[in-house]
């Protein structure tokens, strides 16, 4: 709390890390750190979520989701959040390079990917810039098998219409000749 002044300005760099190094938060000097109520952040908490919100189809939560608090705290400019990759939880066929950090949007009830996530395979981590505290997790986009385009779905009805049209034309032309 001594590292953040009464306006919420960080006076010296702050590094918060779990003992096992699975989570690291770096807050640079001069970052404005305010609670959801607009007061200076006095304490930062890091807690595993007891129940991880499910990911939508095509996404998998890799490892465990972690709640950072105080919930709704904001950081200007954004700060670095680094999470360790649990290699045993990566779905088959998903390259580790495609992992991203995502935050859970309570209002929408879904995970939102952070586009600026950077995977470091040497350290086995993913890092992203975050501007607020909420629940975060590493997300893997599972491989989806695209349905191949079947040209006959388009051409079949066209050919069918042409054949029916031709038969009708032939039928009416022949009927006129007989009459």
């Amino acid at each position: 709390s001594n590292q953040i002044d009464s306006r919420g300005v960080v006076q010296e760099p702050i590094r918060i890390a779990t003992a096992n190094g699975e989570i690291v938060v770096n807050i640079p000097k001069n970052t404005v750190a305010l609670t959801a109520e607009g007061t200076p952040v006095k304490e930062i908490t890091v807690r595993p979520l007891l129940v991880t919100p499910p990911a939508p189809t095509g996404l998998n939560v890799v490892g465990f989701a972690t709640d950072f608090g105080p919930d709704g705290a904001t950081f200007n400019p954004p700060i670095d959040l680094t999470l360790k990759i649990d290699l045993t939880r990566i779905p088959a066929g998903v390259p580790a390079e495609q992992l991203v950090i995502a935050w859970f949007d309570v209002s929408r009830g879904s995970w939102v990917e952070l586009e600026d996530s950077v995977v470091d395979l040497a350290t086995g981590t993913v890092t992203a810039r975050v501007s607020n505290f909420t629940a975060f997790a590493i997300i893997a986009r599972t491989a989806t098998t695209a349905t191949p385009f079947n040209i006959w779905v388009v051409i079949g009805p066209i050919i069918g219409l042409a054949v029916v049209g031709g038969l009708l034309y032939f039928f009416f032309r022949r009927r006129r000749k007989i009459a």
Side-chain angles (χ1 to χ4, degrees), residues 1 8 16 18 20 24 45 50 61 76 84 89-91 103 108 111 116-117 120-121 123 130 140 142 157 160 165 175:
S1 63
I16 301 164
T18 56
N20 57 10
V24 177
T45 59
L50 297 177
V61 176
N76 186 15
K84 191 93 163 153
R89 306 262 324 236
I90 299 174
W103 62 278
R108 294 190 328 197
W111 290 98
D116 67 346
S117 297
D120 184 342
L121 293 178
T123 61
V130 300
T142 54
R175 192 171 175 185

Side-chain angles (χ1 to χ4, degrees), residues 120-167:
D120 184 342
L121 293 178
T123 61
T125 59
V126 182
T127 301
R129 311 253 320 139
V130 300
S131 59
N132 65 299
F133 271 168
T134 186
F136 292 95
I138 296 175
I139 298 287
R141 184 170 296 286
T142 54
T144 55
T145 54
T147 304
F149 178 69
N150 186 346
I151 191 70
W152 293 108
V153 170
V154 175
I155 293 177
I158 294 171
I159 292 173
L161 287 173
V163 168
V164 169
L167 288 172

